[in-house]
Amino acid sequence: MLLKPIISEKSTALAGEKKYTFKVVKSATKPQIKQAVEKTFGVKVLEVRTITVRGKNYRSGKRWIIRKRADWKKAVVKIAPDKQIDLFEAAVGK
């Protein structure tokens, strides 16, 4: 279900509020995402929010043909206040 964490300026700011952002499988549901995060990181998930991100258009090739990147799904997961995910905390310390 979880493909990779999204580490950006906005997501590291949200990590301070105990909200962590992940790129997930497009067909994943909120209960599946919750279960995957709890199993992988050993934390209690309080809330899951999902966003389907539309793929951007881009031009490529000799004749500048317009193509489209694939759509993908993002999940913002809120965890219990007494827990943390170390993967994001390491990014904040850089």
Side-chain angles (χ1 to χ4, degrees), residues 25-56:
V25 176
K26 198 170 175 188
S27 62
T29 62
K30 289 181 180 184
Q32 290 172 339
I33 294 167
K34 178 180 178 179
Q35 183 181 12
V37 171
E38 287 178 345
K39 185 177 178 183
T40 304
F41 298 105
V43 296
K44 173 76 173 135
V45 175
L46 303 177
E47 179 183 3
V48 178
R49 293 184 177 203
T50 59
I51 304 113
T52 301
V53 181
R54 293 182 55 187
K56 295 182 177 182

Side-chain angles (χ1 to χ4, degrees), residues 56-86:
K56 295 182 177 182
N57 292 329
Y58 69 98
R59 294 190 273 185
S60 72
K62 191 173 183 179
R63 291 186 242 160
W64 288 64
I65 298 170
I66 296 179
R67 298 175 190 249
K68 185 177 183 287
R69 298 195 194 283
D71 296 344
W72 56 284
K73 194 170 195 176
K74 176 168 63 171
V76 179
V77 178
K78 184 176 183 180
I79 63 169
D82 59 333
K83 301 287 185 178
Q84 71 179 13
I85 297 177
D86 295 329

